[in-house]
């Protein structure tokens, strides 16, 4: 099965935020989507340029309760700025023409629960959610 076939019938939500979004609004966006694991960061042209994973957001939100162990953690706490300041620039994605099994292998390998499906301009055209995949396997659809 091709990724393009999967996203036709499985419309998993991909949550994005603009690269200049203030961290307070990023946190609010994260908390308003139950079960959300990753927020994808977009450029003004709607291209995906990075990701902020839930563990990183949790670490920032819980910072006052955690000991500081590195100078990087000190900088994260004082930055406050915009999401672009804390996003990871490396992320895994899928292309519509890829075979779904190869994409699922990457999801397991890189331990991601959501994978954006992007076009040649890095614009999101869909999302593959691992929980949706597991449900399809359980129902015998994969």
């Amino acid at each position: 099965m091709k990724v393009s076939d999967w996203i036709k019938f499985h419309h998993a939500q991909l949550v994005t935020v603009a690269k200049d979004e203030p961290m307070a609004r990023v946190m609010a966006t994260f908390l308003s989507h139950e079960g959300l694991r990753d927020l994808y960061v977009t450029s003004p042209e709607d291209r995906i340029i990075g990701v902020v994973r839930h563990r990183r957001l949790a670490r920032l939100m819980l910072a006052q309760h955690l000991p500081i162990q590195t100078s990087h953690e000190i900088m994260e706490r004082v930055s406050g700025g915009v999401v672009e300041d804390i996003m990871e620039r490396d992320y895994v994605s899928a292309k519509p023409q890829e075979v779904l099994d190869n994409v699922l292998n990457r999801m397991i390998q890189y331990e991601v629960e959501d994978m954006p499906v992007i076009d040649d301009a890095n614009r999101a055209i869909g999302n593959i959610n691992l929980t949706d995949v597991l449900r399809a396997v359980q129902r015998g659809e994969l």
Side-chain angles (χ1 to χ4, degrees), residues 89-141:
R89 296 188 187 281
D90 293 328
Y91 63 93
V92 290
S93 61
K95 295 285 188 176
Q97 66 274 16
E98 286 188 83
V99 175
L100 184 62
D101 286 348
N102 295 341
V103 172
L104 298 178
N105 184 46
R106 280 203 317 277
M107 290 182 82
I108 299 300
Q109 178 184 356
Y110 291 102
E111 298 181 351
V112 295
E113 296 183 32
D114 283 289
M115 185 179 289
V117 179
I118 59 173
D119 64 15
D120 291 333
N122 279 1
R123 290 186 181 95
I125 58 172
N127 183 38
I128 300 172
N129 176 274
L130 191 56
T131 302
D132 290 345
V133 171
L134 295 174
R135 287 183 183 123
V137 168
Q138 185 180 35
R139 290 189 302 258
E141 297 171 5

Side-chain angles (χ1 to χ4, degrees), residues 45-130:
E45 302 81 25
D46 282 334
R47 291 183 172 95
I48 295 179
I49 59 170
V51 63
V52 180
R53 306 214 180 276
H54 72 286
R55 289 216 182 259
R56 185 164 181 106
L57 284 173
R59 195 170 66 235
L60 290 171
M61 291 176 76
L62 299 172
Q64 68 186 28
H65 303 285
L66 302 173
I68 294 176
Q69 298 175 352
T70 67
S71 58
H72 180 72
E73 289 174 347
I74 293 171
M75 294 309 296
E76 275 189 339
R77 287 192 192 182
V78 298
S79 81
V82 296
V83 71
E84 186 177 25
D85 298 337
I86 62 125
M87 73 180 190
E88 297 173 35
R89 296 188 187 281
D90 293 328
Y91 63 93
V92 290
S93 61
K95 295 285 188 176
Q97 66 274 16
E98 286 188 83
V99 175
L100 184 62
D101 286 348
N102 295 341
V103 172
L104 298 178
N105 184 46
R106 280 203 317 277
M107 290 182 82
I108 299 300
Q109 178 184 356
Y110 291 102
E111 298 181 351
V112 295
E113 296 183 32
D114 283 289
M115 185 179 289
V117 179
I118 59 173
D119 64 15
D120 291 333
N122 279 1
R123 290 186 181 95
I125 58 172
N127 183 38
I128 300 172
N129 176 274
L130 191 56

Side-chain angles (χ1 to χ4, degrees), residues 15-32:
V15 180
T16 62
V17 293
K19 72 178 190 170
D20 57 353
E21 194 74 30
M23 285 307 300
R25 278 195 274 188
V26 170
M27 297 293 187
T29 299
F30 175 71
L31 293 174
S32 68

